[in-house]
Amino acid sequence: MKYVDEFRDRQLAEQLAKAIAAEADSAREYRLMEFCGGHTHAIFRYGVQDLMPENVRFVHGPGCPVCVLPIGRIDNAIQLVQQHDVILCSYGDLLRVPASKRMSLLKLKAAGGDVRMVYSTQDALRIARENPQRQVVFFAIGFETTTPPTAMAIKQAQTEGLENFSVFCNHVLTPAALTAILGSSESSGSGDVAIDGFFGPSHVSSVIGSRPYEHFAVHYHKPVVIAGFEPLDIMQSTLMLIRQLNAGRTEVENEYTRLVSRDGNTKAQALVAEVMERRAEFEWRGLGMVPDSALQIRTAFAAFDAEKRFALSAVSASDIKGCECPRILRGQKRPTDCKLFGTVCTPENPMGSCMVSSEGACAAYWSYGRFRQTQQQAQ
Amino acid sequence: MNEMIRFSQRLNTRDNTVDLSHGSGGRAMAQLIEALFIKHFDNELLRQANDQAAFNVSAGRMVMSTDGHVISPLFFPGGDIGSLSVHGTINDVAMSGARPLYLSAGFILEEGFPLADLERIVASMGEAAAAAGVPVVTGDTKVVEKGKGDGVFITTTGIGVVPEGVHISGERAQPGDAILLSGSIGDHGVAIMSSRENLEFETTIESDSAALHTLVAEMVAAVPEIHCLRDPTRGGLATTLNELAQQSGIGMRLDESAIPIKPQVAAACELLGLDPLYVANEGKLICICPAAEAERLLAVMRAHPLGREAAMIGTVSADPNGFVEMQTRFGGSRVVDWLAGEQLPRIC
Amino acid sequence: MCLAIPARVVSIDTASDMATVDLGGVQKTVSLALVEGVQLDDYVLVHVGYALNKLDPEEAERTLQIFAEAGMLREAPS
């Protein structure tokens, strides 16, 4: 696979590992947060941490739209099926996330609820066309990468007059999440993990460009390197962050130049701006109410807004007692710090989103790395 | 066998569908059995038309295995539920080192299921059984009301006999043993997904569904001291290796770059966000053997049509925790864990 | 988040604004509604059935070059 395999080359990895080892200052620690769940996944899948010196540590952030979706929103989706008999179309990622009363979309499906997994919004539109007598709701989640396809679907539904189609919109914004994390680690002060630098998300940045990150570097004095998805991208970006930290620079640099520009995809941005607008605030699992952090459908497209079409009450569901997802999402605790990890909470029986989603820190730890962690702790 | 004398009309498989009378034990059922099952499975024992098949057994250890098949879609690139069920049970029997002898097949048909599709499936089973030399000697048919079945469910049971001196079992893996794999992973799962709704992508990948008993026979003849054999079906290579590790109380160290995978399978998994280690296979086997025998076994496997890409993918380690670890293609290391639930395509 | 992968455009249907892309021999249809000026043999980033961006081959080469040079040009910690 061109433009994929070359960025996984082992020989180049060894060279980069040597460079990192040579330039990392042994007198200090480098705590680098990868905001994006895709980076977490890649780090574990390829074993990138093994190639790092001891003092370079990856801290796993909340960049998983499934992980940060509050239970209440899934409860709402379940309501749509149970009380309004809709056909609910959802990406695969959401199906196993635990909601209230030990329910999930997958369990709802098993109990006879009409929940259908889709790969694309186009599938949801097709289902709506094929079932004109039923209401079809698309459960929209994701950061800025996944938002333009949803906006496109709404426009298409409007053009076609697809009246039985609507969207339950849960799209969230990356810059707000970064602010929330940085704000919490600055202000709370007790037992927090200071983060030295950030890997900017690959594909969100492909859509929004590198410009939105510039004020972080300035305002919070932290370097940001927008990193590609492949393991060599992550390593090169690590090197770039180390160099910035060593030199006392706090800039936004772009490693993923083959797909990220300063302006991003303006066509996609314009489309989103046409169809959606910012909510005043939105609840994030683990971060509470965050202002300016999510999108809702504009009044002009209200006909396709599931929250307007169906009376959905805001459900504020509390996290399970002992579940450390909120602090893990902020990088303040590690999965192994959670009492439920590996005992009550496992991939077979997940308590919180961090374990359900394969991007979540806990699932990644469990699948790929928990044994090493325990081995290291034992030493 | 003169169908026209005993039944007033020839069975019309082109236009008709299954109805409740086909399972009720009367004339319609008798006609179905004769015109479809006996016709395509065609063997002496079945033609006796008893409720059971009687045969002599040779001395030795007998092996029996059973499988229910509920796959959807029923027809997919490289096979169908019929051939899959025949291959699957032959393989389960063969993984003990046994020579499979006979199969039985039970059908649960849904009212309204097209007879044309049923004939296609039964014909496919007949071909698979004939090619493997393992006949379907007895069977059963039931019909359930529309809505209570997914077209057709098939249960196959197989019996076989284990050669003298062969003790192949999941708890026999020893530290130092070699782990061999007969060929590329993920073909079947990707072929199934490519024909499912909502995941349409085009690929020339076909299911690898195949009967492995002749490959096993040659392996066992060359190296009777094989410790374990298993076919990595549902849950993929990773799940089966974890099962074996747990049964034997050992760990494993794998080398990712040694695991054969077709480029299209790798690409399809990238597109859907799936890990090929967890994708089903239906014509591959894992073999754990003493390290000294690995080279010889690999040569035997590669000489067989179903083992051309056979490779040594790792070694067994002494590890009370039973971890399966893998050196990644990239140089780092990761743990290959059990599959948690069904693997779903993801966007994240 | 955002599982996306670069794939090569092998055919374009301007009427429906869709394209067929090829990744390692697997072909998929994607929408071009979010991108502009895509041509045959371009590589696009594919995410949930849409092309999100065009890959810049020159930048890709440059990035690989930087990786290769990492072993040679080293900045010592200051």
Side-chain angles (χ1 to χ4, degrees), chain A residues 11 28 31-32 34 55 76 97 112 135 141 145 149 162 192 197 213 287 311 359 368 378-379:
Chain A
Q11 249 108 16
R28 63 162 293 172
R31 287 159 300 220
L32 309 173
E34 87 276 359
N55 58 335
N76 282 148
V97 179
Q135 286 290 319
I141 55 152
T145 325
L162 208 53
D192 291 346
Y213 304 97
L287 296 175
E359 301 304 290
Y368 297 122
Q379 279 160 12

Side-chain angles (χ1 to χ4, degrees), chain A residues 89-372:
Chain A
C89 298
S90 167
Y91 294 127
D93 312 58
L94 275 171
L95 296 182
R96 272 206 290 271
V97 179
S100 298
K101 300 188 204 125
R102 301 190 158 267
M103 263 301 249
S104 70
L105 290 178
L106 204 60
K107 287 185 185 165
L108 180 63
K109 187 175 160 71
D114 203 340
V115 176
R116 306 200 194 174
M117 185 181 73
V118 295
Y119 170 75
S120 164
T121 51
Q122 289 163 32
D123 301 324
L125 287 168
R126 184 176 46 79
I127 290 171
R129 280 181 217 116
E130 287 171 1
N131 295 274
Q133 74 289 2
R134 299 277 305 279
Q135 286 290 319
V136 176
V137 176
F138 176 66
F139 194 166
I141 55 152
F143 285 96
E144 293 91 331
T145 325
T146 321
T147 309
T150 303
M152 197 62 226
I154 292 172
K155 284 214 75 177
Q156 227 174 308
Q158 189 188 55
T159 309
E160 283 180 44
L162 208 53
E163 287 173 2
N164 61 329
F165 178 80
S166 60
V167 170
F168 180 38
C169 182
N170 296 279
H171 285 297
V172 282
L173 301 170
T174 303
L178 278 171
T179 308
I181 297 166
L182 286 166
S184 77
S185 68
E186 274 190 349
S187 54
S188 28
S190 55
D192 291 346
V193 175
I195 299 160
D196 299 314
F198 287 88
F199 296 97
S202 328
H203 301 126
V204 164
S205 310
S206 179
V207 173
I208 68 175
S210 62
R211 202 192 294 269
Y213 304 97
E214 284 165 13
H215 93 271
F216 284 109
V218 167
H219 187 87
Y220 292 101
H221 309 294
K222 306 278 183 195
V224 176
V225 173
I226 295 167
F229 234 39
E230 300 298 340
L232 286 181
D233 292 312
I234 295 169
M235 291 185 75
Q236 172 65 22
S237 305
T238 304
L239 186 58
M240 288 163 76
L241 280 169
I242 288 173
R243 285 178 178 160
Q244 284 208 45
L245 288 164
N246 288 349
R249 285 183 288 130
T250 57
E251 294 160 15
V252 175
E253 288 183 291
N254 181 5
E255 183 275 337
Y256 200 26
T257 53
R258 60 194 188 274
L259 276 163
V260 176
S261 64
R262 194 155 177 243
D263 293 326
N265 181 340
T266 49
K267 186 178 181 191
Q269 290 170 33
L271 180 64
V272 171
E274 185 194 341
V275 177
M276 301 177 189
E277 62 190 1
R278 292 187 178 207
R279 296 177 192 259
E281 56 178 21
F282 192 65
E283 190 190 340
W284 286 54
R285 190 191 179 105
L287 296 175
M289 280 296 180
V290 183
D292 237 17
S293 61
L295 295 173
Q296 64 194 9
I297 298 168
R298 283 187 190 274
T299 337
F301 296 89
F304 302 98
D305 187 343
E307 283 177 272
K308 300 224 167 77
R309 186 177 292 194
F310 305 97
L312 287 174
S313 43
V315 180
S316 192
S318 50
D319 292 328
I320 290 165
K321 198 165 170 328
C323 172
E324 294 278 16
C325 277
R327 303 195 75 181
I328 291 168
L329 286 168
R330 292 167 133 104
Q332 290 165 347
K333 281 199 181 228
R334 291 196 248 194
T336 39
D337 296 329
C338 175
K339 287 195 182 60
L340 305 180
F341 179 80
T343 53
V344 178
C345 184
T346 61
E348 281 84 31
N349 187 36
M351 292 290 114
S353 304
C354 296
M355 184 61 89
V356 167
S357 163
S358 58
E359 301 304 290
C362 297
Y365 259 66
W366 180 273
S367 291
Y368 297 122
R370 77 182 182 282
F371 311 122
R372 199 159 318 111

Side-chain angles (χ1 to χ4, degrees), chain B residues 289-300:
Chain B
C289 69
E293 307 289 8
E295 277 311 309
R296 191 143 65 97
L297 264 178
L298 280 173
V300 166

Side-chain angles (χ1 to χ4, degrees), chain C residues 8 11-13 18 21 26-27 38-39 66 72-73 75:
Chain C
R8 186 168 59 96
S11 75
I12 298 176
D13 180 357
M18 304 282 282
V21 297
V26 175
Q27 304 212 330
V38 170
Q39 294 176 325
I66 291 173
M72 298 183 270
L73 305 164
E75 296 172 20

